[in-house]
Amino acid sequence: MDLFEDVPQKDNTPVFSVSELSGALKKTVEGAFSNVRLRGEIGRVTRPASGHVYLDLKDDKSVINCNIWRPIVSRLDVFPEEGMEVVATGKLSTYAPNSKYNFIIETLEIAGEGALMALLEKRKKALSAEGLFDAGRKQLLPYLPKRIGVITSRTGAVIRDILHRLSDRFPSEVILWPVTVQGEKCADEVVTAIEGFNALSFDHPLRPDVLIVARGGGSIEDLWGFNEERVVRAAANSNLPLISAVGHETDTTLIDFASDKRAPTPTAAAEMAVPVRTELLATIADLDARRLRTTARMMEQKNRQLRDLSRSLPRAQNLLDTPRQRLDLASSKIGSALSKQVGVKRNKFAMTAGQLSAQTILRNVERKRSELNIKSQNLTPALTRKLRDSRKQLDGADRLLNALSYKSILKRGYAVIRNSEGKVLSNFSQTSVEAQITIEQHDGTTHAAVKTKG
């Protein structure tokens, strides 16, 4: 205020500082608009790391900045999204540093079912354009799952209806992932459950074969968590086959379009998940009976064919008559054939014996003797050369043995010391305190006694 002390006063109008005026405006605005319900369309939405939410609320002519403080955000039933028409309750305030006013939101609700339906249709078209609802993405449900994962509230009739229906049709193992089925926490918990089940390894004992996402009926606001984009994407990206059973038969949520199967009720979802055990047993029994009947008919047909074929075959006696006659004929001829063959061999032997003579035998003996003399003459020089070469090799080996022998080392003044058992001692640690040793040198051996220090 020192800057304004010399300013002359022309009238009695008070002079405010900027801060004083901002404070007065803030007090006036907050006092006059402390409880306001404001309707409009949400524009820009930002959520910084602080956890607060900042958004624009607009109509066709004006825009007002809005704040939702972090403690309020966690209690909202509907999370603000761009394009959503809402009714906000709160108070008007000012932000002095920028001379701006804004609306502090304390509660937020959809402006009406029509607005929700318009937002739902808009979101449906956008997600459908991405291909999240395409039939080609749908997975087939397993015929007989061993384990079923159910995502729903821990309390309430839904889980009881599912368990009861499964018990009636085909008792199966059920893994419950409890979630909040409406309100602000619903979407996040459902996404966590779907992704959690999918994250289990294939050999994990809790990994289900099929998922059921279920809740009972309700208003569009109650079911809105299952229309959230993150829930739809989680359902579409699930590797596990997923059945949606949200609301009653007339209720439709976006998760229904992204799931692999849509059930009109939670009970119907249980019916889709498993077959009827009694019907399955009856079908198996019927198939088994058909198998037995078919087998009996086939055996009867084969027996009939066998009988027909056997009647067309000749008698065994007739089949053996011709071979028996051939055997008798051959037996009658064998004696004369042997006699004839012996005569032929005898004549051939006589001719060969006649060709042999003493002179021929002597010539053969003389030829063999001559060949033997020649080989004997050639063998003597070869043996002499072989003996001479072997002797040279033996002399060389002997010289090498003497050169490598330890006795040649003894001639240079060394000695070999052995204990009483004849074992060579390489150091004195191998002897006892009093020991008998033998000392061998190149010219002889002597015995000695040694004493070592203990």
Side-chain angles (χ1 to χ4, degrees):
M1 295 299 297
D2 295 340
L3 297 175
F4 304 103
E5 288 180 354
D6 297 333
V7 177
Q9 297 290 335
K10 296 182 179 179
D11 53 33
N12 294 328
T13 303
V15 177
F16 295 96
S17 67
V18 175
S19 296
E20 288 175 341
L21 182 58
S22 296
L25 287 172
K26 181 178 181 67
K27 184 176 180 181
T28 301
V29 169
E30 291 182 351
F33 301 97
S34 59
N35 185 22
V36 178
R37 287 175 60 83
L38 193 62
R39 178 169 181 159
E41 179 184 340
I42 295 178
R44 171 192 56 88
V45 179
T46 58
R47 187 173 185 175
S50 62
H52 308 311
V53 174
Y54 302 96
L55 57 90
D56 294 336
L57 200 59
K58 61 183 180 178
D59 56 18
D60 57 344
K61 295 180 179 179
S62 303
V63 179
I64 186 171
N65 296 329
C66 302
N67 303 345
I68 308 177
W69 305 129
R70 185 172 60 185
I72 303 298
V73 172
S74 61
R75 297 198 299 267
L76 290 177
D77 292 333
V78 178
F79 190 82
E81 296 183 29
E82 186 173 351
M84 184 182 293
E85 188 174 354
V86 297
V87 175
T89 302
K91 64 180 180 180
L92 200 63
S93 182
T94 63
Y95 184 62
N98 290 337
S99 299
K100 293 182 178 180
Y101 68 91
N102 48 23
F103 189 67
I104 310 300
I105 297 176
E106 296 176 353
T107 62
L108 192 67
E109 58 189 73
I110 301 298
E113 185 172 326
L116 274 180
M117 293 302 296
L119 178 62
L120 181 63
E121 188 63 26
K122 177 182 177 181
R123 185 176 295 170
K124 178 183 176 182
K125 289 181 179 179
L127 295 175
S128 179
E130 293 186 29
L132 297 183
F133 303 155
D134 291 349
R137 297 175 58 96
K138 308 295 183 182
Q139 304 179 77
L140 295 177
L141 301 182
Y143 178 69
L144 190 60
K146 295 181 179 179
R147 191 176 298 107
I148 300 172
V150 178
I151 302 172
T152 190
S153 174
R154 187 190 302 273
T155 60
V158 171
I159 185 61
R160 292 197 300 271
D161 291 344
I162 291 176
L163 293 176
H164 179 71
R165 196 57 177 156
L166 290 175
S167 177
D168 288 344
R169 289 177 65 87
F170 201 106
S172 305
E173 182 180 358
V174 175
I175 307 298
L176 172 65
W177 192 307
V179 296
T180 303
V181 292
Q182 72 181 62
E184 174 65 21
K185 296 180 180 179
C186 172
D188 290 335
E189 292 185 6
V190 171
V191 170
T192 300
I194 295 174
E195 293 177 348
F197 272 131
N198 278 271
L200 298 176
S201 61
F202 287 97
D203 57 349
H204 196 282
L206 296 181
R207 182 180 174 88
D209 300 311
V210 65
L211 297 180
I212 296 177
V213 179
R215 71 146 285 160
S219 65
I220 187 173
E221 291 86 354
D222 294 336
L223 304 179
W224 191 256
F226 298 92
N227 292 317
E228 296 288 355
E229 181 177 339
R230 54 190 183 278
V231 173
V232 176
R233 293 187 183 279
N237 294 328
S238 175
N239 293 322
L240 295 169
L242 188 146
I243 303 173
S244 65
V246 178
H248 296 308
E249 186 170 359
T250 56
D251 297 324
T252 302
T253 56
L254 294 184
I255 192 176
D256 295 333
F257 299 99
S259 62
D260 299 300
K261 280 287 185 179
R262 189 250 176 179
T265 62
T267 302
E271 295 176 354
M272 288 182 179
V274 296
V276 180
R277 185 173 183 271
T278 54
E279 294 179 358
L280 184 60
L281 292 174
T283 301
I284 293 174
D286 180 63
L287 291 174
D288 188 57
R290 291 170 58 186
R291 178 186 62 83
L292 293 175
R293 290 194 299 270
T294 302
T295 303
R297 286 196 300 270
M298 182 183 67
M299 293 299 294
E300 183 180 355
Q301 180 182 4
K302 295 298 182 183
N303 288 332
R304 186 168 56 252
Q305 292 176 353
L306 180 60
R307 289 193 298 269
D308 294 341
L309 291 173
S310 64
R311 283 195 293 268
S312 63
L313 291 175
R315 295 174 63 249
Q317 185 65 32
N318 297 336
L319 292 174
L320 293 175
D321 284 345
T322 301
R324 185 179 290 113
Q325 291 176 1
R326 290 200 299 268
L327 178 61
D328 293 340
L329 180 61
S331 299
S332 63
K333 295 179 178 180
I334 192 170
S336 59
L338 285 175
S339 299
K340 183 178 180 180
Q341 188 69 14
V342 169
V344 172
K345 295 296 183 182
R346 184 179 288 114
N347 292 333
K348 187 176 181 180
F349 177 75
M351 292 175 61
T352 303
Q355 293 175 358
L356 295 175
S357 63
Q359 187 177 2
T360 302
I361 295 174
L362 291 174
R363 281 199 302 269
N364 289 337
V365 171
E366 187 63 29
R367 187 175 66 253
K368 296 297 182 182
R369 183 181 290 113
S370 176
E371 292 176 358
L372 181 60
N373 290 334
I374 294 173
K375 290 181 180 181
S376 298
Q377 293 172 2
N378 294 334
L379 181 62
T380 302
L383 287 174
T384 303
R385 287 194 301 272
K386 183 65 176 177
L387 288 173
R388 184 171 60 252
D389 294 341
S390 298
R391 186 177 290 108
K392 289 181 180 180
Q393 292 178 0
L394 183 61
D395 292 342
D398 184 62
R399 288 193 299 272
L400 179 62
L401 179 62
N402 290 331
L404 297 177
S405 175
Y406 77 96
K407 291 187 177 182
S408 62
I409 299 175
L410 295 181
K411 292 180 181 180
R412 289 184 279 168
Y414 293 94
V416 176
I417 300 175
R418 296 182 174 88
N419 59 15
S420 58
E421 297 175 353
K423 182 179 179 181
V424 176
L425 301 178
S426 58
N427 53 67
F428 282 108
S429 64
Q430 296 177 334
T431 64
S432 57
V433 177
E434 295 183 0
Q436 296 293 326
I437 62 173
T438 300
I439 302 174
E440 179 184 358
Q441 294 180 304
H442 73 95
D443 56 350
T445 302
T446 184
H447 299 281
V450 297
K451 292 184 178 181
T452 58
K453 294 182 180 181

